[in-house]
C-alpha cells in the first residue's frame, strides 16, 4: 500500500509539529498578539525558570538583544505565526518576556491633529 503524499519523509513532522508544540492550542487563552507586536526577553540569562520547549528557548534567544516583531520571530524560526503567538503568550505568563503592542485605534492621533501639525510645518 503506497503511503499518503503528506507522509513523505520529512513531511509528516511538518504537519504534526505545530500541534505538538502548542499542545493543540490554536490561540492563547489570555493574550492576543498582532503581527507587529514587539517581543523582548526580560532577563539576559536563562536562570531561574522551568526548562522550556526548544522553540520557546529559541524565542528567548532571538529576542535577547533587541525587540523583535511576532511576524519576524515566526520567519526566523520557520514556524506558523499562530504557534509563535501561543508560545509568546506562555512566555508572557511566565514573566520571561516583555511585549509592546501596537497602538490601538483609539490611541492614534485624530485627522484634525495631523492637519494642524502639517499646517504648522508648512508655516516654518
Amino acid at each position: 500500500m503506497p503511503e499518503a503524499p503528506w507522509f513523505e519523509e520529512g513531511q509528516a513532522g511538518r504537519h504534526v509539529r505545530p500541534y505538538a508544540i502548542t499542545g493543540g492550542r490554536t490561540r492563547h487563552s489570555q493574550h492576543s498578539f498582532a503581527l507587529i507586536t514587539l517581543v523582548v526577553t526580560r532577563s539576559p540569562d536563562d536562570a531561574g525558570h522551568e526548562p522550556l520547549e526548544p522553540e520557546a528557548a529559541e524565542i528567548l534567544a532571538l529576542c535577547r538583544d533587541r525587540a523583535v516583531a511576532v511576524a519576524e520571530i515566526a520567519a526566523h524560526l520557520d514556524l506558523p505565526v499562530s504557534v509563535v503567538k501561543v508560545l509568546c503568550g506562555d512566555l508572557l505568563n511566565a514573566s520571561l518576556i516583555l511585549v509592546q503592542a501596537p497602538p490601538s485605534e483609539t490611541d492614534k492621533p485624530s485627522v484634525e491633529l495631523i492637519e494642524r501639525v502639517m499646517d504648522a510645518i508648512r508655516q516654518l
Side-chain angles (χ1 to χ4, degrees):
M1 174 186 273
E3 291 185 42
W6 51 275
F7 277 115
E8 292 175 15
E9 186 175 328
Q11 292 298 313
R14 186 95 174 132
H15 296 285
V16 174
R17 188 170 161 239
Y19 180 86
I21 292 170
T22 63
R25 297 174 292 163
T26 57
R27 63 180 57 97
H28 200 273
S29 63
Q30 297 173 338
H31 306 289
S32 62
F33 299 92
L35 292 175
I36 59 174
T37 298
L38 296 175
V39 178
V40 66
T41 303
R42 183 179 277 261
S43 174
D45 60 9
D46 290 333
H49 59 76
E50 299 286 323
L52 299 170
E53 294 292 325
E55 294 80 9
E58 288 182 59
I59 291 173
L60 291 179
L62 182 63
C63 301
R64 183 164 285 119
D65 298 324
R66 66 181 180 93
V68 182
V70 168
E72 189 177 349
I73 295 169
H76 277 287
L77 301 182
D78 193 27
L79 290 172
V81 172
S82 59
V83 171
V84 171
K85 289 178 178 183
V86 170
L87 292 174
C88 284
D90 293 345
L91 291 171
L92 187 57
N93 280 352
S95 299
L96 296 175
I97 61 171
L98 299 171
V99 298
Q100 181 175 349
S104 67
E105 288 295 319
T106 58
D107 292 339
K108 293 181 180 177
S110 69
V111 173
E112 179 186 325
L113 176 62
I114 293 171
E115 288 174 349
R116 289 191 348 226
V117 170
M118 289 173 54
D119 289 341
I121 292 171
R122 286 185 193 118
Q123 293 176 5
L124 294 176

